Amino acid sequence: MEVLKNYLNNIDYFAIIDLVVIILAAAAILWFFKRRNNLKMAIFVAFYICAYIGVCVACALTSKNLLFITAQILKWGGIILILCIVVAYQQDIKSGITRFARWHDSKDSYDYGNSEDDLRQAVDEIVKGCQALSKNDTGALIVITPSVVPSHLLETGTMLNAKISDGLLQCIFNTKAPLHDGAIIVKENVILAAGCFLPLTQREDISKELGTRHRAAIGITEESDVLAIVVSEETGIISTVRHGEIKRYMTPEKLSDEIEKAFGIKYSKQRAKKR
């Protein structure tokens, strides 16, 4: 007990900083695995970090360094573990770095000065278009960018800068149209580009019944802060994806809500009363 008291009295600010850094790093790693639904790995990493800290403290308390070898094994084992995580999750790490690097995208200057009524009309047009495409079992992928426009995606498609409408959506995603295979990028009430190629998610927990469009929608939302809308070509089911999380079987009301959130539209009093 006296040894522990002396140890605590000798702790300086640098030791506190080290402890804070370790806690923040551990929290970041646990959050990383939680976002990827890998609870077992999160528990293992948490246990490993606690064991390493415990051994280091025990070595500091004992003058004979009885656990020196154990501490070295855990230290080098931790380095190997970090390398394995980097290799296994290199795509996720790459996506995170890409998102950080594009935080201040040079294309964030698109401002069309639309009113709230203009945006609500755009929401209605998108919902009508998705319903029509769903009814005809026509596949579609729509990416709505609230603020930052991913310039690297625009470069993969064909620039349109056309006002969005129900008819235009059906024309673009018509199976005989040259741009139907790619995604369209929407900013406010304007379709910036069509036929764009999106990065596919590398997650292994995705249901096999979800096709390439769904994987692309999940991939782009993991990389950028956007809303992706998918209309399944096989089933006609409408889905939305944000931050890598997919919501299926969207009704017109739910779809409208999701798009309004992406546009940052405030709910009107009349609509609130109806609900």
Side-chain angles (χ1 to χ4, degrees), residues 34-167:
K34 182 181 178 182
R35 288 279 297 175
R36 278 139 193 87
N37 297 321
N38 196 336
L39 184 59
K40 291 182 179 180
M41 192 63 182
I43 294 174
F44 174 77
V45 172
F47 176 79
Y48 195 96
I49 293 174
C50 291
Y52 179 67
I53 294 175
V55 170
C56 289
V57 172
C59 288
L61 291 175
T62 56
S63 57
K64 297 181 180 180
N65 278 338
L66 298 178
L67 298 176
F68 176 77
I69 296 178
T70 304
Q72 292 300 312
I73 292 175
L74 289 175
K75 176 183 176 181
W76 289 104
I79 295 174
I80 295 174
L81 178 62
I82 292 174
L83 293 176
C84 291
I85 291 174
V86 170
V87 172
Y89 293 92
Q90 56 181 320
Q91 187 63 37
D92 298 284
I93 297 173
K94 179 181 176 182
S95 298
I97 295 174
T98 302
R99 181 183 295 181
F100 177 79
R102 290 172 178 148
W103 187 265
H104 297 289
D105 199 289
S106 60
K107 292 290 184 178
D108 193 22
S109 58
Y110 290 93
D111 185 7
Y112 300 99
N114 291 302
S115 65
E116 188 171 305
D117 291 336
D118 293 331
L119 295 179
R120 288 190 183 280
Q121 184 177 357
V123 172
D124 292 337
E125 292 296 325
I126 295 174
V127 172
K128 290 178 183 177
C130 289
Q131 283 184 285
L133 293 168
S134 173
K135 185 177 180 180
N136 297 323
D137 289 334
T138 303
L141 180 51
I142 303 170
V143 176
I144 298 176
T145 60
S147 55
V148 178
V149 180
S151 59
H152 64 293
L153 298 181
L154 298 178
E155 296 168 357
T156 65
T158 301
M159 298 299 296
L160 292 182
N161 285 322
K163 186 176 181 180
I164 195 166
S165 67
D166 169 21

Side-chain angles (χ1 to χ4, degrees), residues 180-251:
H180 78 280
D181 275 334
I184 67 170
I185 310 297
V186 177
K187 168 68 174 175
E188 296 187 13
N189 66 342
V190 175
I191 299 177
L192 298 178
C196 300
F197 295 99
L198 307 182
L200 301 180
T201 181
Q202 300 300 315
R203 286 168 51 183
E204 298 180 356
D205 60 335
I206 304 298
S207 174
K208 293 183 179 180
E209 65 181 70
L210 301 180
T212 304
R213 284 191 178 90
H214 294 86
R215 298 189 69 88
I218 296 173
I220 186 57
T221 58
E222 290 176 336
E223 180 178 304
S224 303
D225 183 19
V226 298
L227 172 69
I229 303 172
V230 185
V231 180
S232 174
E233 185 176 355
E234 289 76 17
T235 62
I237 296 173
I238 302 175
S239 306
T240 60
V241 187
R242 192 153 197 183
H243 303 305
E245 300 298 327
I246 186 169
K247 297 180 181 178
R248 305 192 69 194
Y249 303 99
M250 300 299 291
T251 63

